[in-house]
Amino acid sequence: LKLSPMLRNQSGLNVLHIVEARIALECPVAELAALRRSEQKINDLKAKLVDMERELHNRDAFIDADIKFHEILASATENPIFEDLVAILHNLMHIVQVSFPDDVRARSKSLEYHKKIFSAVRDKDPKKARDTMREHLGNIMQMLSY
């Protein structure tokens, strides 16, 4: 995570840049996770879904569970480089999270995407995992481009 301060200091870095990078990174991560995931990772992902559902009305706790879900997905690839890159992007997201349009409706929609991603990974469907991640992050991009 030593890279984060360097990235953060890049002039003109904004939340759209970060989401664009997430799309490039996290779609193949979801695809690989579906191919390589263990039963333990499935259980860990399921636990984060339960947390997200429980914390739907608690913004900070919901975001925390959301981030952990994506980090577990990255660790399910069995590639530590993906884990580090996802952690860096999420660290940056956390910094700019204040500019995030966020309400219970948006969190509910996000939860639905996470459930679909979970199902695709659980069912070992790499194409569906990748495509659903693209939809999820594309939806975030749309919300930010108001």
Side-chain angles (χ1 to χ4, degrees), residues 11-40:
S11 63
L13 182 72
N14 68 43
V15 71
L16 288 172
H17 296 134
I18 299 165
V19 176
E20 196 172 68
R22 287 186 64 194
I23 290 169
L25 176 67
E26 292 193 62
C27 294
V29 160
E31 188 173 15
L32 272 178
L35 293 169
R36 299 179 179 169
R37 98 292 186 282
S38 64
E39 284 307 311
Q40 183 58 56

Side-chain angles (χ1 to χ4, degrees), residues 23-24 26-28 30 113 117 128-140:
I23 290 169
E26 292 193 62
C27 294
Y113 279 119
I117 292 163
K128 187 174 180 215
R130 180 192 65 226
D131 293 349
T132 308
M133 181 65 79
R134 182 172 297 283
E135 277 179 47
H136 169 46
L137 295 172
N139 178 256
I140 291 172

Side-chain angles (χ1 to χ4, degrees), residues 115-128:
K115 286 178 177 177
K116 289 179 189 170
I117 292 163
F118 169 79
S119 296
V121 171
R122 181 197 60 213
D123 299 345
K124 297 186 177 183
D125 186 340
K127 184 186 182 320
K128 187 174 180 215

Side-chain angles (χ1 to χ4, degrees), residues 1-139:
L1 297 185
K2 291 183 179 122
L3 197 55
S4 291
M6 184 184 82
L7 284 173
R8 201 175 23 216
N9 292 330
Q10 296 297 312
S11 63
L13 182 72
N14 68 43
V15 71
L16 288 172
H17 296 134
I18 299 165
V19 176
E20 196 172 68
R22 287 186 64 194
I23 290 169
L25 176 67
E26 292 193 62
C27 294
V29 160
E31 188 173 15
L32 272 178
L35 293 169
R36 299 179 179 169
R37 98 292 186 282
S38 64
E39 284 307 311
Q40 183 58 56
K41 295 298 179 195
I42 290 301
N43 293 337
D44 294 346
L45 288 168
K46 181 74 175 155
K48 287 304 140 201
L49 281 180
V50 169
D51 291 347
M52 289 171 76
E53 201 142 22
R54 187 184 62 236
E55 301 296 352
L56 200 58
H57 295 276
N58 178 342
R59 182 177 194 264
D60 291 341
F62 181 90
I63 289 168
D64 188 51
D66 183 331
I67 288 169
K68 284 191 174 73
F69 180 95
H70 287 267
E71 289 175 350
I72 293 164
L73 215 49
S75 74
T77 67
E78 301 293 333
N79 184 332
I81 295 170
F82 285 133
E83 288 183 64
D84 290 345
L85 292 173
V86 166
I88 288 165
L89 290 177
H90 284 227
N91 188 4
L92 289 169
M93 281 295 288
H94 206 68
I95 293 159
V96 294
Q97 201 84 45
V98 287
S99 64
F100 223 66
D102 174 72
D103 57 28
V104 172
R105 199 174 48 80
R107 289 194 291 269
S108 291
K109 191 167 177 88
S110 174
L111 178 60
E112 290 313 307
Y113 279 119
H114 284 80
K115 286 178 177 177
K116 289 179 189 170
I117 292 163
F118 169 79
S119 296
V121 171
R122 181 197 60 213
D123 299 345
K124 297 186 177 183
D125 186 340
K127 184 186 182 320
K128 187 174 180 215
R130 180 192 65 226
D131 293 349
T132 308
M133 181 65 79
R134 182 172 297 283
E135 277 179 47
H136 169 46
L137 295 172
N139 178 256

